Amino acid sequence: MPIRSPRPGPAGSSAHTSYLHTQIDQIIDGDLGLRRQQDPIHDTRVAIRRLRSTLRGFRAALDQTDVGGMERELKWFAALLGEVRDCQGQQRRFTQTLDEFPDDLILGPVRARIHSHLQSIELPARTRVQEAMAVDRCLTLMSTLRRWRTDPPLAGEVTVGSLRARAKKAAHKADKRLVAGLDSGDGAQLHQARKAAKRARYAAELIKPLDAKNAKPKAKHYKRIQSVVGDHQDTVVARAALDRHHRGTAAAENGFTFGLLCAREYRLARRSRRDARSLL
């Protein structure tokens, strides 16, 4: 039976609560799906990111005595899911790339090496997720989210103006971090720019019911930045994974194909930085 939503209040509080509800519902559904041996990891992680972003970006609107350490607990659960999701993403990425290569460029058991290595990481990670879901820490997390569904942790009436101000601040921070990351060329700074762009996007999504004319293009803009800079971060992760895969090969095996894969990631990284700069 669906959980009944509280009666709508002022516009700002209603928009904030509605956004919280949407993410909480997705996380609870994801928890249930995982317990049923389904695989809703991606959608669950996205909802956790959105909820954490709201807890951070709109902190002043929330009752901190109730929120407490929930951001830390959500981060813990998301990290467990992330270990599985990252392996899934890398497997899909490398498989699609190898499928595009002519057969004569695939030297040695490259597919098998990659698959075996990723499985050796993913399977224990899945076990850790299942084990974590059985302990009190995870059960308490889900219990708190269910309580928030009917009793949101608002610190009082939330004004439309305060939500707009927080969304504007998130956008300004995202812009600054993107400029800094591109000017430095540092992968870690670009990764922080991606996170800031996500928070700006989520903040714009939250206020969209209140100001669709301005918030909708803002959300679209920061989604684009998130995607482009995310492509760059994917290349960073892929290059590190390829290095591990290659180091795990037998000495007599040909590393030619791994070199091609790595060179492709460097090209994609350069293109991502170029595309990101065009969005400034």
Side-chain angles (χ1 to χ4, degrees):
M1 179 181 296
I3 302 173
R4 180 181 297 176
S5 300
R7 183 177 299 176
S13 299
S14 179
H16 198 175
T17 300
S18 176
Y19 195 79
L20 288 173
H21 286 176
T22 300
Q23 313 321 319
I24 290 171
D25 287 349
Q26 185 66 66
I27 297 168
I28 291 173
D29 287 347
D31 174 75
L32 182 59
L34 288 166
R35 294 180 190 280
R36 291 176 173 173
Q37 305 302 311
Q38 298 170 1
D39 199 27
I41 289 177
H42 174 67
D43 290 343
T44 306
R45 285 186 71 212
V46 170
I48 291 175
R49 283 200 299 264
R50 282 191 165 100
L51 182 56
R52 287 185 60 214
S53 178
T54 303
L55 297 184
R56 292 182 62 184
F58 296 89
R59 190 180 302 274
L62 300 169
D63 181 357
Q64 294 304 308
T65 61
D66 194 8
V67 171
M70 276 293 284
E71 187 187 345
R72 179 187 65 247
E73 297 304 285
L74 288 164
K75 183 178 181 179
W76 162 73
F77 191 52
L80 290 171
L81 299 179
E83 292 179 353
V84 178
R85 180 63 182 174
D86 289 347
C87 289
Q88 293 175 331
Q90 289 176 29
Q91 182 68 66
R92 181 174 61 253
R93 184 184 189 89
F94 295 138
T95 297
Q96 289 175 347
T97 301
L98 289 170
D99 286 346
E100 296 171 0
F101 282 3
D103 290 342
D104 58 357
L105 293 184
I106 302 177
L107 306 182
V110 178
R111 293 179 189 271
R113 288 290 185 190
I114 291 175
H115 179 74
S116 176
H117 183 78
L118 290 175
Q119 282 288 287
S120 72
I121 300 173
E122 181 179 346
L123 294 179
R126 285 188 177 277
T127 299
R128 286 191 289 273
V129 170
Q130 294 301 320
E131 291 174 346
M133 293 179 68
V135 302
D136 288 344
R137 185 176 185 179
C138 188
L139 297 175
T140 300
L141 169 61
M142 294 302 159
S143 176
T144 301
L145 291 177
R146 287 185 173 89
R147 177 169 60 80
W148 283 5
R149 188 60 177 80
T150 54
D151 185 21
L154 300 183
E157 181 178 331
V158 181
T159 67
V160 173
S162 68
L163 294 181
R164 285 175 172 163
R166 293 303 301 176
K168 184 177 181 179
K169 183 176 180 179
H172 180 65
K173 188 172 185 178
D175 293 343
K176 286 183 62 177
R177 287 198 172 179
L178 180 59
V179 171
L182 289 173
D183 287 347
S184 70
D186 180 67
Q189 281 193 311
L190 282 171
H191 187 43
Q192 292 303 313
R194 177 196 185 190
K195 292 180 179 179
K198 282 193 290 188
R199 289 192 288 269
R201 171 194 172 187
Y202 299 156
E205 289 176 347
L206 188 152
I207 67 170
K208 195 184 297 185
L210 306 171
D211 187 13
K213 182 179 179 180
N214 293 310
K216 187 174 181 179
K218 282 286 187 181
K220 185 176 180 180
H221 173 68
Y222 287 107
K223 181 180 180 180
R224 175 62 177 159
I225 292 176
Q226 174 191 337
S227 176
V228 171
V229 184
D231 289 343
H232 185 275
Q233 178 61 18
D234 288 345
T235 69
V236 173
V237 174
R239 278 178 273 155
L242 287 169
D243 183 64
R244 292 192 298 270
H245 299 328
H246 183 246
R247 289 178 187 274
T249 61
E253 288 183 14
N254 194 313
F256 175 77
T257 305
F258 282 108
L260 290 180
L261 289 170
C262 193
R264 177 180 181 273
E265 297 299 336
Y266 276 105
R267 289 196 302 272
L268 291 175
R270 288 195 297 271
R271 186 175 72 186
S272 296
R273 290 193 295 270
R274 183 180 65 248
D275 290 348
R277 192 169 290 279
S278 72
L279 297 173
L280 292 176

